[in-house]
Amino acid sequence: MRRTGWVAAGLVLLAVAPAEAARIGELTDWDFGAQAARFFSLQDPSVRYALAGSMLLGLCCGLMGAFLVVRKLALMGDALSHAVLPGVALGFLWGMTKNPAAIFTGAVVAGLLGAVVVQWIRATTKHREDAALGFVLSSFFGVGIVLFTMIQNLPGGAKSGLDGFMFGQAAALGPEDVWLLAGVTVLALGSVGLFYKEYVLTSFDEGFARSLGWRVKLYHYSLMLLLAFAIVSALQAVGVVLVSAMLVIPAAAAFLLTDRMGAMLAWSAGFGMLAGAAGAFFSFTGRSLPTGPFMVLAAAALFLLALLFAPRHGIVGRLWRRRSRAARIRRENTLKAIYHVMEDGGFRDEAVAVESVAGRRRETTAGAGREIGELQRAGLATEEDGRVAFTPAGWQRACEIVRNHRLWELYLTNAAQLAPDHVHDDAEVIEHVLGEETVRRLERRLNYARRDPHGKLIPGLADLAGGAPPAERVAGFGGKGGAR
Amino acid sequence: MTGFVPAFEWQRVMVQPWTEDFTVSFWIVVMGFLVTATCGLVGTYLLLRRMALVGDAISHSILFGLVVAFMIFRSGGTAVMFVAAVATGLLTVGIIEFIHRQSRVKTDAAICIAFTTLFAAGVVLLSVAEMKGPVHLDPDCVLYGEIAFVPLDPPVEFFGLTLGPAPVVRIASVLVGLLALVVVFYKELLVTSFDPALARSLGIRTGVWHYGLMAGLSIVIVSVFEAVGAILAVAMLVVPPMFAAQLSDRLPARFALVFLHAALSSLLGYHLSVWLNCSPAGAMVVVGAMLFLLAWAVTRPRRYASVARRVPLQADA
């Protein structure tokens, strides 16, 4: 079912793209260059305000959002950004002007009330967090809509400009709005800087923080207060619906890039500023397009890049690592098969037939040939006239794998009391991941045993060393024929 | 502030809507009831599955689907809308699951990323489409909804029988269809919602029911979209089931309570909107939230006083 959805959506996008691309080109081409030049010269005060405001917003939301994401409160941002609406309306009613101080106060009070109600519903009903957030989000918004439509019916209310709070227009930012954003950003930076240790600990290990006697609730609500500040000051630029995107998307992208909170805060704030600047740019050059959606799309593009290409947690990196690990295991299994064939022949020949390796691997000859080709490219084996021989490095690796396998089997039968016919599958997995240090400890633990539970010889350190041909070295412990 | 809240006049608020504007009042209240009941029906299952906010996500991202469908087909026919809605709903759920499975980002952040991005893309495409000519989609309708315009729609005739305005007929048929599905597949929906592991062991394909429910949810949302808007639709998905869950633990009783809630909130909400001269959809949501608060206040001391405060700040992963 999911696949159908994807395919349908893909078809839809394919169908719409060419037709629309041409038209967008016509629309924006005519003054794009001039507008871009105006934007970058920063001569226009409105450009300066829009750019400064958008970047401050990105910084502030990025900082707060990082805490939301690690605290698994991402949707709290969504709920609070809707919940501030009645506060905005009441703030406007206080004197019927867009007085930033009154609107700010009203919205912060409404946002905090929303956070309290969420906590309250969770504590006193059987409803889970999702329902509590959904209730606060939608019913506060309903109250806000009622108040807004009442304001619109008042004399002077129709042109209140409150619609700007819905979708946001960074170009409409004035100096007061930018100062407000700057103040909130400084406050957020200051609180996070001063109480960094406290916020990090209460975010990651609440129980420990409580056991230290810290007032966890206090930090939670102070974070909610800062969050309400950030949301309210960002409303003017991105609008109610999309504030939560600016909180969560840059932080989620940062979350994929690093495992350290400090670095995550920095990345998140940086991504937020970048997305803010990009949103302001596209909104300015693209003739009165709303700013918020462009900011969000820029942030989403950053997130997509992080999702794909993050070094440790990215999809491409993970697939690459998985592929190279699978290739390494395949190589090691082929080496082991060659070793086994040699061992069956008493290590008399330096080279063995590809067909016998294929039989050992339960592969076709062509398949074994491909695997041996991989070994040759890795410099682990050489092939001549259908016979394959180890290089010194290949011999060493083969000995290590066989040793790991047999040591582990012996360990399981001796230390874990498993039956000898039950240990092979386990050893088959672990032979590729045992490190040298563990091997040393296993050898000590097993008194440097020479034989595995099936009576096969375990290669030792002496067999691994140097680069001489295998036959001579194995002669050191006598091969199959010379067993004691 | 003075004069902001009009005086409550019994004659104007409670009597005149029914004596003077009977048709208008009747259709608005009926529409409100149908919308709330349909949303509440699906919402009951969402609440059980702890997926209330997936409803929020789909109701936002549906804008994207509608705009794309409009750009392709240049029409707003019912079939086109339904197909677009189902495709967008499944796309949203697919993106959420993709992000959640392929990265270490948690579900809640994935929900937020998916719907805000689709919504932003929808708004941008809408402004691009508007440059080329009028679009029968208004961004404001995402926020408010236009339930007050419902009685103005041309009535639908069916075998010579005048049924009512087109949106009312549409949502009524969705409700009837949904009720039929709930009755027919009652057992499957019940088991997959309450005990997915048992459902799987019985051979019920939980994935199919999950996506089927999401498709149904998308159709419900798109049919109420124009009447109440994206965000108030969330209220109607979440609040009636919460009200019902507060008063009963039995599923059939919850459905009955959802219908009761729908009737009360639409009727009282309409009168509230006449009194305050505000958006009827918003007023219905406010009354609905009040009804939940009432149920909460009534049941809380009896049932949850002893276990209050037991839930830690953010316990579940």
Side-chain angles (χ1 to χ4, degrees):
Chain A
M1 284 295 273
R2 184 177 71 183
R3 187 138 306 154
T4 352
W6 281 103
V7 170
L11 286 179
V12 162
L13 287 177
L14 276 179
V16 80
E20 293 313 317
R23 295 203 194 87
I24 295 169
E26 283 162 32
L27 280 166
T28 48
D29 220 39
W30 63 287
D31 62 348
F32 184 81
Q35 286 287 80
R38 267 181 74 199
F39 183 84
F40 284 114
S41 65
L42 295 179
Q43 305 247 303
D44 218 319
S46 75
V47 173
R48 283 203 296 274
Y49 289 132
L51 185 63
S54 308
M55 289 179 72
L56 282 170
L57 178 160
L59 172 62
C60 180
C61 287
L63 277 182
M64 291 291 95
F67 283 106
L68 286 189
V69 167
V70 299
R71 282 172 171 244
K72 300 179 195 112
L73 286 175
L75 288 164
M76 190 65 141
D78 189 33
L80 290 199
S81 63
H82 290 77
V84 297
L85 200 64
V88 171
L90 287 176
F92 178 83
L93 279 173
W94 192 274
M96 291 301 286
T97 53
K98 266 173 74 176
N99 176 5
I103 289 184
F104 190 85
T105 317
V108 166
V109 170
L112 273 186
L113 184 65
V116 171
V117 173
V118 168
Q119 198 56 35
W120 225 15
I121 291 181
R122 292 197 53 195
T124 62
T125 71
K126 60 186 153 197
H127 297 300
R128 295 306 191 95
E129 180 144 60
D130 64 323
L133 288 173
F135 176 79
V136 166
L137 183 158
S138 54
S139 56
F140 275 56
F141 191 83
V143 176
I145 290 294
V146 165
L147 291 172
F148 267 52
T149 45
M150 285 166 80
I151 289 173
Q152 272 171 351
N153 291 330
L154 290 178
K159 46 182 187 293
S160 61
L162 285 180
D163 279 354
F165 283 104
M166 296 299 182
F167 287 110
Q169 189 57 283
L173 287 179
E176 310 93 33
D177 300 306
V178 174
W179 280 116
L180 183 68
L181 267 166
V184 169
T185 310
V186 168
L187 186 69
L189 272 173
S191 333
V192 171
L194 272 179
F195 299 105
Y196 180 70
K197 188 180 70 181
E198 284 82 356
Y199 282 132
V200 171
L201 184 60
T202 50
S203 300
F204 286 98
D205 197 342
E206 199 192 307
F208 180 53
R210 201 173 280 137
S211 77
L212 290 178
W214 289 4
R215 308 199 41 198
V216 173
K217 278 221 156 136
L218 187 73
Y219 291 111
H220 175 75
Y221 281 111
S222 70
L223 209 58
M224 290 299 113
L225 183 68
L226 285 174
L227 179 66
F229 282 164
I231 287 173
V232 177
S233 51
L235 279 186
Q236 187 78 359
V238 285
V240 165
V241 185
L242 293 174
V243 172
S244 57
M246 287 308 286
L247 286 165
V248 172
I249 301 181
F255 187 60
L256 292 172
L257 286 179
T258 170
D259 292 336
R260 315 237 10 124
M261 192 63 197
M264 182 176 164
L265 284 169
W267 276 110
S268 178
F271 282 156
M273 286 165 75
L274 200 60
F281 173 75
F282 283 118
S283 155
F284 185 74
T285 49
R287 285 208 303 176
S288 81
L289 289 172
T291 324
F294 277 105
M295 275 191 209
V296 174
L297 288 182
L302 288 171
F303 174 77
L304 187 65
L305 287 178
L307 183 68
L308 290 175
F309 302 115
R312 278 195 57 195
H313 304 292
I315 291 174
V316 171
R318 212 173 46 235
L319 283 181
W320 176 255
R321 276 195 302 278
R322 195 180 296 164
R323 267 196 55 177
S324 58
R325 192 162 53 227
R328 182 172 65 81
I329 289 176
R330 202 166 49 240
R331 278 200 305 272
E332 290 177 351
N333 284 336
T334 317
L335 284 173
K336 198 173 58 175
I338 299 174
Y339 183 97
H340 284 146
V341 173
M342 284 186 172
E343 191 181 45
D344 289 346
F347 294 106
R348 276 183 286 277
D349 296 322
E350 263 189 48
V352 295
V354 173
E355 289 84 33
S356 40
V357 176
R360 191 83 207 184
R361 288 280 287 146
R362 298 201 181 97
E363 268 272 12
T364 58
T365 313
R370 269 197 302 279
E371 290 185 337
I372 288 165
E374 276 181 45
L375 290 185
Q376 280 182 300
R377 274 193 295 285
L380 296 170
T382 54
E383 191 198 338
E384 227 173 278
D385 304 333
R387 296 179 72 76
V388 58
F390 285 128
T391 64
W395 167 250
Q396 187 181 341
R397 191 73 198 129
C399 283
E400 280 171 8
I401 295 299
V402 173
R403 176 200 61 192
N404 292 354
H405 183 98
R406 294 180 177 171
L407 271 179
W408 191 255
E409 287 188 340
L410 191 61
Y411 176 70
L412 286 185
T413 47
N414 286 11
Q417 316 287 328
L418 289 180
D421 55 343
H422 275 66
V423 292
H424 176 78
D425 291 341
D426 205 12
E428 202 56 16
V429 177
I430 206 155
E431 63 191 13
H432 304 286
V433 290
L434 279 183
E436 276 305 303
E437 200 155 318
T438 321
V439 169
R440 292 290 91 75
R441 284 177 57 189
L442 277 174
E443 285 178 336
R444 248 199 323 280
R445 179 93 193 247
L446 297 167
N447 285 328
Y448 302 95
R450 300 293 305 272
R451 284 179 182 277
D452 76 358
H454 311 295
K456 298 269 181 70
L457 284 163
I458 302 174
L461 263 187
D463 305 300
L464 304 176
E472 289 167 29
R473 174 152 314 99
V474 176
F477 57 77
K480 204 174 186 176
R484 288 155 297 171
Chain B
M1 285 293 277
T2 47
F4 181 60
V5 177
F8 183 83
E9 300 152 34
W10 179 263
Q11 191 66 21
R12 182 179 74 83
V13 174
M14 303 307 283
V15 181
Q16 272 177 14
W18 300 106
T19 52
E20 286 173 25
D21 308 310
F22 179 79
T23 335
V24 174
S25 311
F26 178 74
W27 287 122
I28 289 181
V29 172
V30 167
M31 187 71 186
F33 169 76
L34 290 172
V35 164
T36 317
T38 317
C39 286
L41 200 60
V42 187
T44 304
Y45 286 110
L46 288 187
L47 193 73
L48 288 174
R49 292 164 172 249
R50 295 176 198 143
M51 290 174 61
L53 289 166
V54 176
D56 179 36
I58 293 183
S59 73
H60 282 85
S61 57
I62 224 134
L63 178 74
F64 173 77
L66 290 182
V67 175
V68 171
F70 181 83
M71 285 176 138
I72 297 172
F73 298 105
R74 303 267 143 208
S75 79
T78 306
V80 171
M81 266 168 54
F82 279 14
V83 170
V86 171
T88 326
L90 295 183
L91 175 71
T92 312
V93 179
I95 293 178
I96 293 171
E97 281 186 17
F98 179 78
I99 295 178
H100 175 58
R101 287 209 184 140
Q102 294 294 320
S103 79
R104 59 185 196 144
V105 173
K106 307 288 182 296
T107 320
D108 62 335
I111 290 177
C112 193
I113 293 168
F115 86 78
T116 51
T117 306
L118 286 176
F119 184 78
V123 175
V124 168
L125 284 180
L126 191 57
S127 5
V128 171
E130 271 174 345
M131 287 180 184
K132 305 195 303 273
V135 181
H136 175 65
L137 256 179
D138 182 3
D140 279 354
C141 108
V142 179
L143 303 161
Y144 304 96
E146 296 295 2
I147 202 172
F149 293 165
V150 164
L152 307 179
D153 271 282
V156 172
E157 300 212 353
F158 188 71
F159 289 122
L161 206 68
T162 314
L163 290 176
V168 178
V169 174
R170 190 165 57 211
I171 187 73
S173 28
V174 170
L175 177 60
V176 170
L178 206 64
L179 264 178
L181 286 175
V182 166
V183 170
V184 172
F185 297 114
Y186 182 78
K187 185 188 71 183
E188 284 84 354
L189 284 168
L190 183 82
V191 177
T192 53
S193 299
F194 275 99
D195 197 340
L198 174 67
R200 267 193 297 275
S201 75
L202 290 174
I204 298 174
R205 300 179 60 188
T206 47
V208 172
W209 289 100
H210 172 73
Y211 284 105
L213 188 66
M214 292 300 107
L217 173 64
S218 310
I219 287 182
V220 168
I221 290 174
V222 78
S223 26
V224 307
F225 193 74
E226 276 180 86
V228 296
I231 302 164
L232 297 180
V234 179
M236 289 161 176
L237 282 169
V238 176
V239 179
M242 281 175 83
F243 168 82
Q246 206 59 26
L247 297 175
S248 170
D249 285 336
R250 309 222 23 102
L251 202 52
R254 281 197 191 178
F255 287 139
L257 283 164
V258 161
F259 279 85
L260 175 72
H261 182 277
L264 282 176
S265 65
S266 53
L267 185 65
L268 297 178
Y270 177 64
H271 285 294
L272 182 69
S273 78
V274 173
W275 172 29
L276 298 177
N277 194 10
C278 66
S279 146
M284 287 173 189
V285 168
V286 170
V287 172
M290 301 273 200
L291 286 174
F292 168 73
L293 295 180
L294 196 66
W296 188 14
V298 170
T299 53
R300 188 190 148 197
R302 196 183 67 206
R303 275 197 187 166
Y304 290 97
S306 58
V307 285
R309 313 189 66 84
R310 86 198 140 147
V311 186
L313 210 56
Q314 56 257 341
D316 32 19

